[in-house]
Amino acid sequence: MGPLPVPRLARRPQPGRRTDRRGARRRAPPGPSAPRGWPDHPRGVPPRHRPEPAARRRRARPQHPLGARPRRRGPRALHRARPPPRDLLRSRSRARPANVRRKARVRRRSPWWPGGRTARGARSRHRAAQSEIRRGHQARGPPGERARARGLRGAPVRTRRARRAGAVIDRARLERRIAELSRVGGRGTSVTRLGLSAEEQSARDLVGSWLAGRGATIRRDPAGNLFARIGGEGGAVLVGSHIDSVPDGGRFDGALGVLCAVEAVETLLEARADLRRPIEVVAWADEEGARFGVGLFGSAAVFGRLAPGVAERRDRQGISVADALRALGERGDPALARRGAKDFTAYLELHIEQGPRLERAGLALGVVAAIVGIYHARVTMSGQADHAGATVMTSRADALVAASEVVLAVERIARARPDTVGTVGEIAVRPGAKNVVPGECVFSLDLRTSRDLDPYVHEVLASVERIAHARNVGASIDELARVPVTTLDPKLRDALRRGARSVGVEAPELTSGAGHDAQNPALAGVPTGMLFVRSTGGSHKPSEFASLDDAALGAQALANTLREIAG
Ligand SMILES: [Zn+2]
């Protein structure tokens, strides 16, 4: 977010002068590179050997603004009064002396300057390193990280700027951490970090380590959620999202909300913002439900909204939720994670939009007005497995044919309702052989609407029973989640719109078609607000993408909103 370094013009070489690396000038011996005169040139001297313009020369010896004589300075101060040695910062210029080029080359190759390939990157690192050196530290590592490792606040250049401008997020740090977190369970742009897995735990450790360095109290609860608390007693402002992913998912769903929450909080701490309320950054466990089939798991546990028997649900390897929690070192009972709604004064979540509306509108941010109601279930249709050749068509109880009819019914019912979708995304057939009539079919139901959820669910379930009866198969329905349509807090929506406006975005209000952890605090009575960041390339797949520009706008808007409600 900070101003980008302005590209500097190369200093024009002057006749008869050379510049040493500290900016001091000395006479050069006359030679072919320093011609005295060019009589046959119309203006006496070809352009590249013309003397510096008068204004440029004057800058080397600044005039006192009131016209008085400048104060006497020692030799060091005189050096400082001259322009800085810009030649050091130019990576490709051939105009600078060979010793300086060599030095810059060594610096770019050094392992402590990772990725130092571009002139701009080299420049900003150089400036940060110069500040470190001025403070009496020898630059031996990436400047911000070393300062943080010593328990100091962020890189000095950044901090000074932040103090001047209010609280400006560190865009480079955000970029670095997006990459760092995506490497946990990631390969390229694909991320697989399933709920309650070792990868999810590594991600939690990483996020915790960022805030532990800021003096936060880090805690993992019995459901595997990570909390990092800053500040004293009282109801906290909770801010965060989830860090698990679907199999072969992307880098931004959930993760960006945690990264922006960490960035916003660090920015406020660096700016020494006056915060009256404590802040807790949260990384929810297993939001996607990709492993055990229970979405919004961590937040549901904290706000007492877990479906009964969740701890005994098993993944495809037969590992139960309780086993997975025990493997993390917890007691295996996610209900122990419950906290009262009174513990929190507000909940804020930033998330990628997962839809095309912001992209189509050409806007980076949107404010969520409501989140759709969601119903998740697993349906088992039980028929009779039999020989595919010997069993006549009139005496079959084919579970897959019955399930297929349900799939079509879901489509028909959803299409007939406004703002409603319905999906069967998983299906398994047993015994699963080409010459056997399917005896059992298990499939998922995912029903969503921004209208009234219950009548929709009722209509679908009634059709399941009707089809099962007509097809002479059994049907059992295992309800995994039922979350009603959630309207978010009007005051927090206004605050988030102001936050977006503060970064120059007139954020529209949207309804979220995806379910979010934000539903659980909102339904438990905690005032809740959600900010969407534009994303492209779809969602729940490696191509999902939020640009750094948009992510930085989101983090800044979140920081400004957080400052307003926690300050
Ligand atoms: Zn998500």
Side-chain angles (χ1 to χ4, degrees):
M1 278 301 295
L4 292 170
V6 178
R8 287 173 170 140
L9 296 170
R11 194 191 296 158
R12 195 176 292 170
Q14 296 161 49
R17 282 184 169 188
R18 276 191 194 167
T19 305
D20 71 16
R21 48 187 273 262
R22 293 158 85 184
R25 287 169 178 164
R26 61 182 167 86
R27 279 260 167 220
S33 63
R36 289 267 163 88
W38 295 72
D40 45 347
H41 192 276
R43 292 172 66 184
V45 178
R48 73 189 195 91
H49 290 299
R50 253 180 238 146
E52 247 186 359
R56 193 176 283 260
R57 271 204 310 275
R58 268 202 303 278
R59 212 188 301 153
R61 298 184 67 182
Q63 297 283 312
H64 193 276
L66 297 176
R69 283 185 66 191
R71 203 155 40 92
R72 275 184 76 84
R73 298 176 179 199
R76 226 163 208 286
L78 275 174
H79 283 308
R80 241 182 256 140
R82 295 204 168 103
R86 289 170 184 173
D87 289 347
L88 259 181
L89 309 177
R90 260 182 285 130
S91 62
R92 290 198 184 88
S93 171
R94 294 278 142 201
R96 58 201 170 154
N99 61 334
V100 176
R101 276 207 307 274
R102 211 163 33 243
K103 188 168 178 145
R105 206 158 47 228
V106 167
R107 180 164 290 165
R108 282 203 306 277
R109 279 183 194 157
S110 159
W112 292 115
W113 299 87
R117 294 281 161 211
T118 64
R120 181 172 289 175
R123 246 179 250 142
S124 63
R125 278 188 293 277
H126 173 79
R127 268 203 303 276
Q130 289 302 305
S131 304
E132 291 273 306
I133 292 164
R134 272 201 294 280
R135 285 159 40 133
H137 303 293
Q138 202 184 343
R140 265 176 286 147
E145 294 301 335
R146 290 192 318 105
R148 277 187 282 281
R150 288 197 303 273
L152 301 171
R153 292 181 305 111
V157 169
R158 154 89 201 84
T159 307
R160 226 176 281 138
R161 188 188 299 158
R163 280 209 198 121
R164 268 206 309 272
V168 181
I169 65 136
D170 187 334
R171 186 185 157 98
R173 177 171 61 196
L174 181 62
E175 182 179 25
R176 197 168 60 240
R177 287 179 174 171
I178 289 172
E180 206 176 337
L181 187 55
S182 75
R183 284 195 287 271
V184 182
R187 173 182 288 211
T189 61
S190 162
V191 173
T192 301
R193 213 159 45 221
L194 299 183
L196 308 183
S197 66
E199 289 80 16
E200 193 197 48
Q201 179 56 36
S202 300
R204 257 192 297 276
D205 289 342
L206 182 62
V207 171
S209 72
W210 292 332
L211 286 168
R214 296 286 178 185
T217 308
I218 311 292
R219 189 174 72 84
R220 191 185 67 203
D221 76 3
N225 300 307
L226 177 86
F227 291 95
R229 187 177 173 105
I230 289 148
E233 297 294 303
V237 176
L238 191 61
V239 57
S241 190
H242 62 96
I243 47 173
D244 66 312
S245 80
V246 296
D248 206 12
R251 296 166 291 167
F252 299 96
D253 182 343
L256 189 66
V258 175
L259 289 157
C260 287
V262 171
E263 183 56 43
V265 169
E266 283 205 61
T267 299
L268 295 180
L269 292 174
E270 282 172 357
R272 296 185 177 168
D274 202 11
L275 302 173
R276 283 181 296 119
R277 295 197 168 99
I279 295 179
E280 285 194 41
V281 174
V282 62
W284 299 115
D286 197 5
E287 186 266 359
E288 302 286 4
R291 185 175 171 196
F292 298 102
V294 183
L296 314 182
F297 169 79
S299 54
V302 167
F303 293 101
R305 298 187 51 79
L306 275 181
V310 163
E312 298 315 313
R313 295 203 171 278
R314 293 180 187 274
D315 66 6
R316 285 183 184 159
Q317 278 75 46
I319 300 168
S320 70
V321 169
D323 292 340
L325 286 170
R326 283 188 208 105
L328 293 177
E330 299 297 338
R331 285 159 63 184
D333 182 3
L336 296 173
R338 181 158 190 182
R339 291 172 73 177
K342 287 200 296 293
D343 286 2
F344 307 106
T345 52
Y347 174 66
L348 289 181
E349 180 168 353
L350 177 149
H351 203 282
I352 58 168
E353 190 210 344
Q354 299 176 282
R357 288 166 297 177
L358 288 175
E359 189 186 1
R360 282 189 194 144
L363 291 167
L365 306 173
V367 173
V368 181
I371 305 174
V372 292
I374 300 183
Y375 175 82
H376 280 164
R378 189 173 288 162
V379 182
T380 305
M381 305 211 90
S382 316
Q384 187 67 50
D386 221 330
H387 195 287
T391 316
V392 296
M393 297 306 284
T394 48
S395 61
R396 293 187 178 199
D398 187 327
L400 179 56
V401 172
S404 307
E405 215 173 306
V406 173
V407 174
L408 293 173
V410 168
E411 188 194 35
R412 180 175 45 74
I413 295 166
R415 278 188 172 188
R417 291 171 169 268
D419 305 320
T420 298
V421 290
T423 308
V424 175
E426 274 182 304
I427 193 157
V429 179
R430 296 193 187 101
K434 67 175 180 292
N435 55 355
V436 181
V437 175
E440 186 182 75
C441 190
V442 182
F443 60 93
S444 62
L445 270 184
D446 180 310
L447 310 178
R448 305 179 188 219
T449 179
S450 57
R451 307 297 176 100
D452 207 356
L453 181 69
D454 286 341
Y456 173 38
V457 172
H458 181 77
E459 191 176 347
V460 171
L461 298 190
S463 76
V464 170
E465 277 187 20
R466 187 173 40 76
I467 291 164
H469 183 72
R471 290 264 168 199
N472 196 27
V473 299
S476 69
I477 294 156
D478 184 9
E479 181 172 317
L480 300 175
R482 189 192 289 248
V483 185
V485 180
T486 315
T487 307
L488 300 187
D489 186 73
K491 283 184 182 163
L492 287 182
R493 277 152 57 184
D494 287 346
L496 285 166
R497 261 203 308 276
R498 283 193 293 278
R501 202 171 294 135
S502 71
V503 297
V505 181
E506 277 303 326
E509 287 212 332
L510 305 167
T511 299
S512 171
H516 292 290
D517 286 308
Q519 286 170 284
N520 281 318
L523 292 168
V526 178
T528 296
M530 252 195 112
L531 187 66
F532 269 166
V533 172
R534 167 172 54 191
S535 72
T536 58
S539 173
H540 285 183
K541 52 185 179 177
S543 61
E544 78 183 15
F545 180 71
S547 72
L548 180 61
D549 284 343
D550 290 355
L553 283 174
Q556 188 66 59
L558 188 66
N560 296 352
T561 309
L562 207 51
R563 185 179 212 171
E564 183 187 326
I565 62 177

